[in-house]
Amino acid sequence: MAFGINRSELNQWKARVEQGEIAFLTHYWLDPRFPDAKTVTKAGCSNLNALIEWGIGYGLKPEWIDHRHSGYPHFDLLGDKQLQVLLAEGLEEHIERFHMK
């Protein structure tokens, strides 16, 4: 379940994904499969090859892409990998906004 974002932010992420950009959406998240994860960052792109290549640069495996056929394929980034990617992509505001440090 997602918390902490509004419809406009979600729609902006979807639009950027549809345009073939690597787009990032961070939100609070509760999932019993990951009890230590309080946030997730979705790194998405409709250009699957671009998303795969981008992910390989961060050590992400193509088989980890979620919603591959939905029009919004993305990696779900959690924990240390989430912080690593957000910092490398210059998205410190995500870290601050969602109190990840």
Side-chain angles (χ1 to χ4, degrees):
M1 184 179 296
F3 304 95
I5 58 170
N6 61 44
R7 176 70 56 192
S8 175
E9 290 168 310
L10 176 60
N11 288 338
Q12 288 173 21
W13 179 79
K14 286 181 173 182
R16 293 181 68 202
V17 169
E18 290 169 359
Q19 293 169 12
E21 296 179 43
I22 303 291
F24 301 90
L25 180 69
T26 300
H27 57 79
Y28 290 115
W29 186 60
L30 295 177
D31 188 315
R33 297 172 298 166
F34 306 97
D36 294 330
K38 304 299 182 218
T39 61
V40 64
T41 298
K42 297 184 177 303
C45 182
S46 62
N47 180 332
L48 198 53
N49 289 330
L51 183 60
I52 289 169
E53 288 301 313
W54 175 87
I56 288 171
Y58 287 106
L60 303 173
K61 297 181 180 180
E63 57 266 27
W64 296 344
I65 294 173
D66 201 8
H67 299 280
R68 188 178 286 259
H69 304 291
S70 72
Y72 304 101
H74 63 274
F75 288 102
D76 285 328
L77 307 174
L78 307 165
D80 291 340
K81 184 61 73 173
Q82 178 185 23
L83 286 173
Q84 174 197 0
V85 171
L86 290 173
L87 288 169
E89 295 288 334
L91 297 170
E92 290 86 358
E93 70 270 11
H94 289 234
I95 296 167
E96 293 169 14
R97 178 177 173 188
F98 293 97
H99 310 285
M100 288 186 243
K101 280 197 169 183

